[in-house]
Amino acid sequence: SLKFIRALRHEKLSPDMWKKTPLCMSQFRYLFGSARVPSTTSEGCDEIINSQDSNHIILIRRGQLYYFEALSSDFSISITEREIIKNIK
């Protein structure tokens, strides 16, 4: 998925197609770096916060949280799957 987000942030993904019609991919930006913030009032709506410059991943393994800087500032991959596995063992 790091390769996917890199392609997404660099706008190098080819559009999804339905038959021969390209589909709108604007919603893809909400797949990563997004969070739902609950409303502070009983009548309010929750808010979706999106950060296009987020560069980390969080893993949960056996109840333990792990935080990794996964992308550099230019969105190139800065950690390998092997390094992640080594760190969570």
Side-chain angles (χ1 to χ4, degrees):
S1 67
L2 290 176
K3 291 178 184 176
F4 179 81
I5 192 170
R6 182 181 61 195
L8 179 65
R9 298 258 170 98
H10 285 273
E11 298 180 356
K12 301 221 183 233
L13 289 178
S14 50
D16 282 344
M17 303 291 281
W18 183 73
K19 296 188 179 181
K20 292 186 179 184
T21 306
L23 299 174
C24 175
M25 295 177 57
S26 64
Q27 70 277 9
F28 276 38
R29 67 187 175 127
Y30 295 106
L31 288 174
F32 303 98
S34 296
R36 186 182 71 163
V37 179
S39 172
T40 57
T41 66
S42 61
E43 298 174 5
C45 293
D46 294 346
E47 184 178 3
I48 302 296
I49 303 295
N50 183 264
S51 174
Q52 289 297 310
D53 60 347
S54 65
N55 61 353
H56 65 278
I57 57 173
I58 297 175
L59 300 175
I60 302 173
R61 182 175 187 258
R62 297 183 180 167
Q64 180 78 31
L65 291 169
Y66 298 89
Y67 175 97
F68 298 98
E69 294 291 332
L71 300 169
S72 63
S73 59
D74 66 347
F75 301 116
S76 59
I77 298 171
S78 60
I79 191 167
T80 65
E81 183 179 343
R82 182 170 283 154
E83 291 171 319
I84 292 172
I85 291 169
K86 180 181 174 185
N87 282 295
I88 64 174
K89 284 190 175 186

